[in-house]
Amino acid sequence: MAVAVKFGTYDFGTTVEKYAIRQRPRVKPIVIPKRDGVRADIAPLGPTEVTLTGKILKSSNTLLRTEFDNLKAALFKTRDKLTLFDDRFLDCQLTSYGDDFVPGSAMLAARYDLSFLAELPFLQSVALNSNSQTVTISPTTWTVTPAGNIRTRPTLRITNNSGADIVNNLKIENLTFSKALVFTGTLKTTNTLIIDMQARSIQNAGVEDLTNWQGEFWELAVGANSLKYTGGITVAVVTEWRDRYV
């Protein structure tokens, strides 16, 4: 792990003076008539906001202007990865930009003041973790062990290597949370199901196939999770996830 303040490919280097993160749970207090206080249910996290300020100093006005041109070219896009350390990132977009010359610098130094918004409120590991299983016995159970400090949502890829179609005979579970998804359609031989638990999407051979599923999209806990496959064999099951941090 090393300090690496970047937005996409733009490296802020040692120019950063302040890096501040704000996370706001979506708490909605409810006033109870004729009572002191309020009622507030446990709320999910809202978006994460990041403020980044710093100063850039160059040996000429031309070099300073070019540097800010490069900065703005990197910032004014739809979204990209913002890092503080080289092993974790936020998927952000710019919400506010400002710059001004430092008084008395002969226009050789200027400050920037940036704000970013991350829809997903978690820092995620740059490394994409993966676990692969070749399932030849049904049911089969195995363990995956995310790090981080908060639950994450995986993507599963289930490939039919049986030599025959699998029809209405596939279930994938996280026994740690007692949650399951059941496939009621047909997975043709050599085809792959892609289950994205974060996006709540399921593709069968590249085509969206939510109508043939029952159950709920599940998460992975921090630490050991017991996953279970029940159904047609032989299949390859790949589980991918990024560790998450708040």
Side-chain angles (χ1 to χ4, degrees):
M1 179 273 290
V3 175
V5 184
K6 295 182 179 181
F7 183 73
T9 59
Y10 184 85
D11 191 343
F12 288 90
T14 59
T15 69
V16 177
E17 296 176 336
K18 179 182 178 181
Y19 186 110
I21 294 180
R22 298 287 182 270
Q23 292 174 315
R24 299 177 181 177
R26 302 201 313 261
V27 177
K28 294 184 178 179
I30 300 172
V31 176
I32 309 298
K34 299 183 180 180
R35 273 196 191 176
D36 294 327
V38 298
R39 175 179 174 179
D41 294 332
I42 296 175
L45 288 173
T48 291
E49 300 169 354
V50 179
T51 300
L52 195 62
T53 60
K55 180 174 68 176
I56 298 174
L57 174 64
K58 293 294 182 180
S59 59
S60 73
N61 308 129
T62 300
L63 289 175
L64 183 62
R65 185 177 70 173
T66 298
E67 188 62 34
F68 272 87
D69 285 345
N70 294 337
L71 172 60
K72 287 184 277 189
L75 292 173
F76 287 94
K77 56 176 65 176
T78 54
R79 67 180 69 237
D80 215 325
K81 291 180 174 61
L82 177 66
T83 65
L84 173 58
F85 300 104
D86 61 2
D87 59 346
R88 301 179 187 177
F89 71 91
L90 282 166
D91 190 19
C92 290
Q93 59 181 306
L94 184 73
T95 57
S96 176
Y97 173 90
D99 64 52
D100 60 280
F101 289 107
V102 175
S105 69
M107 299 179 69
L108 297 177
R111 296 186 180 277
Y112 55 82
D113 188 345
L114 314 174
S115 297
F116 299 89
L117 180 75
E119 294 178 5
L120 195 64
F122 314 108
L123 288 159
Q124 301 182 77
S125 64
V126 170
L128 181 63
N129 303 287
S130 182
N131 174 281
S132 299
Q133 301 289 325
T134 298
V135 179
T136 58
I137 300 172
S138 177
T140 291
T141 303
W142 65 96
T143 300
V144 298
T145 310
N149 62 9
I150 196 167
R151 297 176 182 180
T152 188
R153 287 189 176 272
T155 295
L156 283 85
R157 304 175 190 276
I158 304 173
T159 302
N160 179 3
N161 295 326
S162 67
D165 295 349
I166 296 175
V167 181
N168 193 19
N169 185 24
L170 191 158
K171 179 166 71 171
I172 189 78
E173 303 172 74
N174 186 343
L175 300 178
T176 303
F177 292 125
S178 300
K179 292 184 178 181
L181 277 171
V182 180
F183 182 53
T184 58
T186 298
L187 179 60
K188 293 184 176 298
T189 182
T190 74
N191 283 356
T192 299
L193 289 170
I194 301 177
I195 308 169
D196 188 333
M197 300 291 185
Q198 178 61 43
R200 272 80 164 175
S201 73
I202 298 171
Q203 291 189 348
N204 185 350
V207 178
E208 198 68 30
D209 196 9
L210 280 171
T211 57
N212 287 315
W213 285 85
Q214 299 173 357
E216 56 185 315
F217 293 96
W218 39 260
E219 299 172 300
L220 295 176
V222 176
N225 293 256
S226 182
L227 306 188
K228 181 180 179 182
Y229 173 88
T230 305
I233 53 174
T234 300
V235 298
V237 182
V238 178
T239 308
E240 296 177 334
W241 73 93
R242 296 186 190 275
D243 301 326
R244 288 181 175 178
Y245 302 84
V246 291

